[in-house]
Amino acid sequence: MDVITGLSQGFAVALQPVNLLSCFIGVFIGTLVGVLPGIGPTSALALLLPVTLSSTPEAGIIMMAGIYYGSMYGGSTTSILVNIPGEAASVVTCLDGHQMARQGRAGPALGMSALASFAAGTFAVVALMLVAPALARVAVVFGPAEYFSLMVLGLTLLTFLSQGSMAKALLMAAFGVVLGLIGADQITAQPRLTFDRLELLDGIGLIPVVMGLFGVAEILSNLEQDLKREVMMARIGGLWPTLADWKLAKWPILRGTVLGFFLGILPGGGAVIAAFASYALERKLSSTPERFGKGAIEGVAGPEAGNNAAAGGAFIPLLTLGIPPNVVMALLLGAFVMHGLQPGPLLMMQRPDLFWGIVASMYIGNVMLLVLNMPLIGMWVQVLKLPYRVMFPLILMFCLVGVFASGSVVFDVFVMVVFGVLGYLMRKFGYEPAPLVLAFVLGPMLENNLRKSLMLSQGDFTFFVEKPISAVCLGLAVAVLAAPLLPALARRRARLATNQS
Amino acid sequence: MIRNSELWGGLFWLAIGVFVTWAGRDTGLGRLSEPGPGFALFWIGILMCALSLGVIGQAIVSGGATLASLWAGTRWRKVLVVVGLLLVYGAGFQALGFIPCTLALLLALMWFVDPVDGRLATTVAVIATFGVWFALTKWLKIQLPAGILSGILG
């Protein structure tokens, strides 16, 4: 199936009223989630995962995808107007966006942010459309050794790119794999780490783990600090950037888009890293770097393009290889599985309507976001005026209800609370939850492919290096692990971690 | 040294690593050509032990924040209360039902944990509880336990 035929089939799916409505609900909730600090796209997706089960797979997945890329748009609004990033990828937009607002240029900052997001989001969808089918054709020949090595590389990269100690991040990834292996063994059906609890025979649910580590833990961390959020709404004025703004921003948008897209594809990369990398790149390339942090429009345009392109790029490994490159995509993988679908190279052949429907919905969603964000900025800021002491009990209630609704088991509520406390303590002690969750999702696949490879090779480990793709992935993983030992790279990584924190 | 939070963090993960290694061995390692169900657990446990020893070593060499300093100046009691309330919520959820438990939880959070105006708290709690119950049970057809209100809610 060529791209044009596929896309026309995709639009036929995406333009069905129910899918159109799902797309709208997704981008609307995504924007809201992006605006509200204390709840990110990860928690929102986990919360809404059970809800999507009552819809068709197309509608459910279109909605969940919309939440993800919608949150990238929403986060910038509050970053610019009130200096509060709604989600992590918009932290860097605070630096220059809010400064622009303080100088009475909130309108152009918001306009540039929305337009850069739109341009990057659209580019990412076009690139996804062109790259994914080609990659899927290559991925069909992947065997267990290639999948195992690719997952090892993904987890290694994620730990390398995470904040703080790499040993701690690797520990979290290892613990995540252990959690993923809880339950009956896939081959022998022998129970593992179930402590004679029937509820654990099927393993721990993804939703309670994610809601605990991201939703409850975030609330507990916020609660122990006396958050005094001042919502000082800057004057917005005209949203359209001036010609001079466009001249300054056009290259940062282009560079941010390309950089963000590739960082999004990379296992372990993602929107946060893309935004920071784009900001660092623009500051480095600028002939007037001293303007950065004082209201430079390039500091808004580049990172916003970067995080939106990364959100689009992240769909490629999931849809073509079935491997989620980040936590949000891991949840989307959960949504596919709950609907009885397995994303990967065969998805495009077996369910082209679904694949192209998702792609087409992303075009439509990007247009919706542009229309939604420009006139509704005032409304989003009003949402922020809701005090956190009213908001957090409601978020907690949604977490509890979402977790119970996902499996109708009270045990999951306790699992969520345990992971909430664990997540809170992990933040305190400097351990990151993202490698844990990604490894938790990849754990069973990782083990399965390792065991299959060893069985196929009669226990010969050279099997992994005899296959070129596998050898390259493992080689890269070793290089990434060894990188902190080189002083120059260690310094670069420390700088990246400092920037992120 | 004994108050070093990094050290305690490392020791905690070392204990988990040792347990996972033991559990993997106990479950069955199998042969290299036919790995058993405990094979991956065993080796990941070993990896966890090695990494946590690295964290402990780093804590001994470079030091770290004290345990007390992590909670200094924070409202940690509120965290404990919220965790307690969530556990009570889970314990009573099936028997008492969604509506009484959720209403009580929201009111407790907004009246006592981080207080807001009483009328606002009550209004938000009532609307949120009944709104969510209605949306889930009537629109999305998701079953929520009726508990003590089963006679009224059916």
Side-chain angles (χ1 to χ4, degrees):
Chain A
M1 182 184 287
D2 63 53
V3 171
I4 304 293
T5 319
L7 201 58
S8 58
Q9 187 184 2
F11 272 107
V13 173
L15 288 170
Q16 284 172 12
V18 65
N19 294 337
L20 213 51
L21 181 69
S22 295
C23 186
F24 177 76
I25 293 172
V27 295
F28 187 86
I29 294 174
T31 311
L32 181 67
V33 162
V35 167
L36 289 174
I39 181 163
T42 314
S43 310
L45 282 172
L47 205 63
L48 290 165
L49 201 54
V51 175
T52 63
L53 285 178
S54 53
S55 61
T56 61
E58 293 86 353
I61 290 162
I62 284 172
M63 188 173 94
M64 295 196 71
I67 293 172
Y68 181 41
Y69 58 79
S71 67
M72 298 298 130
Y73 274 69
S76 59
T77 307
T78 47
S79 292
I80 292 167
L81 290 178
V82 290
N83 205 22
I84 300 168
E87 43 78 44
S90 298
V91 170
V92 78
T93 310
C94 289
L95 302 176
D96 284 284
H98 189 64
Q99 285 302 320
M100 283 181 74
R102 288 172 68 121
Q103 293 159 15
R105 302 196 67 228
L110 288 164
M112 182 56 78
S113 160
L115 293 163
S117 300
F118 176 73
T122 308
F123 170 88
V125 181
V126 173
L128 166 69
M129 190 177 79
L130 298 173
V131 173
L135 195 59
R137 277 193 291 276
V138 176
V140 170
V141 299
F142 275 29
E146 283 86 354
Y147 273 111
F148 172 78
S149 306
L150 199 62
M151 282 185 254
V152 169
L153 174 63
L155 287 173
T156 315
L157 272 172
L158 184 66
T159 56
F160 179 75
L161 295 171
S162 55
Q163 300 168 29
S165 158
M166 197 166 163
K168 286 181 177 178
L170 281 167
L171 245 174
M172 289 302 95
F175 185 56
V177 175
V178 172
L179 292 174
L181 298 184
I182 290 176
D185 174 36
Q186 289 179 21
I187 297 173
T188 61
Q190 190 176 333
R192 297 184 292 190
L193 301 172
T194 56
F195 306 100
D196 295 328
R197 296 282 315 197
L198 278 177
E199 296 94 333
L200 288 175
L201 267 182
D202 281 337
I204 304 179
L206 175 65
I207 297 173
V209 170
V210 173
M211 293 309 304
L213 287 174
F214 288 89
V216 177
E218 175 84 28
I219 287 172
L220 296 179
S221 299
N222 287 340
L223 205 61
E224 71 168 16
Q225 298 151 14
D226 194 10
L227 284 181
K228 293 254 191 305
R229 190 195 306 153
E230 285 180 41
V231 180
M232 298 180 299
M233 183 152 165
R235 196 175 61 80
I236 294 176
L239 290 169
W240 202 257
T242 62
L243 197 63
D245 289 333
W246 279 115
K247 274 188 186 165
L248 287 169
K250 65 181 179 192
W251 290 111
I253 291 176
L254 194 67
R255 283 190 289 262
T257 302
V258 176
L259 183 69
F261 180 73
F262 285 106
L263 283 173
I265 296 177
L266 211 64
V272 182
I273 291 162
F276 278 98
S278 168
Y279 190 82
L281 180 71
E282 292 314 321
R283 197 167 54 179
K284 202 165 192 122
L285 292 178
S286 174
S287 53
T288 51
E290 66 281 359
R291 286 172 46 251
F292 280 75
K294 294 173 186 162
I297 199 155
E298 306 96 296
V300 175
E304 280 302 311
N307 67 31
N308 279 275
F315 282 86
I316 290 180
L318 178 71
L319 293 176
T320 57
L321 303 170
I323 297 176
N326 58 44
V327 178
V328 177
M329 289 296 123
L331 282 165
L332 211 57
L333 172 67
F336 272 97
V337 173
M338 280 179 166
H339 282 285
L341 298 161
Q342 185 59 49
L346 296 177
L347 182 77
M348 245 175 277
M349 293 164 212
Q350 290 166 349
R351 291 296 306 271
D353 57 322
L354 181 65
F355 173 81
W356 289 105
I358 296 168
V359 172
S361 80
M362 288 166 76
Y363 276 111
I364 299 166
N366 270 294
V367 176
M368 281 180 181
L369 280 165
L370 193 64
V371 176
L372 200 68
N373 268 280
M374 301 287 255
L376 295 184
I377 282 163
M379 189 190 87
W380 298 128
V381 174
Q382 291 302 319
V383 169
L384 258 184
K385 289 187 177 171
L386 193 67
Y388 189 71
R389 50 187 56 179
V390 174
M391 221 153 64
F392 92 84
L394 296 177
I395 298 172
L396 265 184
M397 179 193 68
F398 285 120
C399 290
L400 290 162
V401 172
V403 163
F404 180 79
S406 66
S408 297
V409 187
V410 179
F411 181 75
D412 284 349
V413 172
F414 290 107
V415 172
M416 182 188 76
V417 177
V418 168
F419 278 92
V421 175
L422 183 70
Y424 163 77
L425 291 173
M426 279 165 59
R427 280 160 204 243
K428 280 270 172 208
F429 285 76
Y431 292 85
E432 274 196 76
L436 189 157
V437 176
L438 192 62
F440 173 69
V441 174
L442 294 180
M445 290 190 259
L446 196 77
E447 188 211 21
N448 206 11
N449 283 299
L450 172 68
R451 283 167 80 179
K452 274 185 191 165
S453 304
L454 287 174
M455 283 178 194
L456 282 171
S457 65
Q458 292 294 308
D460 182 6
F461 274 101
T462 57
F463 187 64
F464 292 100
V465 287
E466 280 167 359
K467 296 181 173 284
I469 296 171
S470 170
V472 169
C473 289
L474 286 180
L476 285 172
V478 171
V480 169
L481 283 172
L485 302 175
L486 301 171
L489 272 169
R491 276 197 300 274
R492 187 176 286 266
R493 186 178 173 272
R495 244 193 338 263
L496 182 73
T498 312
N499 280 341
Q500 282 186 64
S501 62
Chain B
M1 175 60 67
I2 202 74
R3 293 179 188 162
N4 186 337
S5 61
E6 292 291 302
L7 179 73
W8 284 105
L11 286 172
F12 172 79
W13 292 112
L14 179 63
I16 301 270
V18 169
F19 172 72
V20 171
T21 309
W22 171 81
R25 194 171 175 276
D26 191 49
T27 313
L29 296 176
R31 294 190 310 275
L32 211 51
S33 57
E34 201 175 329
F39 180 82
L41 278 180
F42 177 80
W43 287 106
I44 292 165
I46 297 278
L47 178 68
M48 285 183 76
C49 290
L51 289 166
S52 44
L53 283 173
V55 172
I56 292 168
Q58 185 73 24
I60 292 168
V61 173
S62 313
T66 61
L67 279 172
S69 71
L70 295 182
W71 279 275
T74 65
R75 309 189 301 173
W76 57 269
R77 285 185 188 85
K78 288 184 188 287
V79 174
L80 283 182
V81 173
V82 171
V83 172
L85 284 171
L86 291 175
L87 291 173
V88 171
Y89 181 91
F93 191 68
Q94 205 77 54
L96 297 174
F98 170 77
I99 292 178
C101 283
T102 307
L103 203 56
L105 175 74
L106 290 181
L107 288 174
L109 290 170
M110 286 189 278
W111 278 350
F112 307 116
V113 177
D114 215 356
V116 291
D117 173 64
R119 271 182 303 183
L120 176 68
T122 312
T123 311
V124 170
V126 170
I127 292 175
T129 304
F130 285 94
V132 167
W133 178 82
F134 189 82
L136 288 183
T137 56
K138 303 294 171 193
W139 290 342
L140 297 170
K141 306 288 178 202
I142 292 172
Q143 292 264 316
L144 291 173
I148 53 171
L149 297 178
S150 56
I152 303 166
L153 301 173

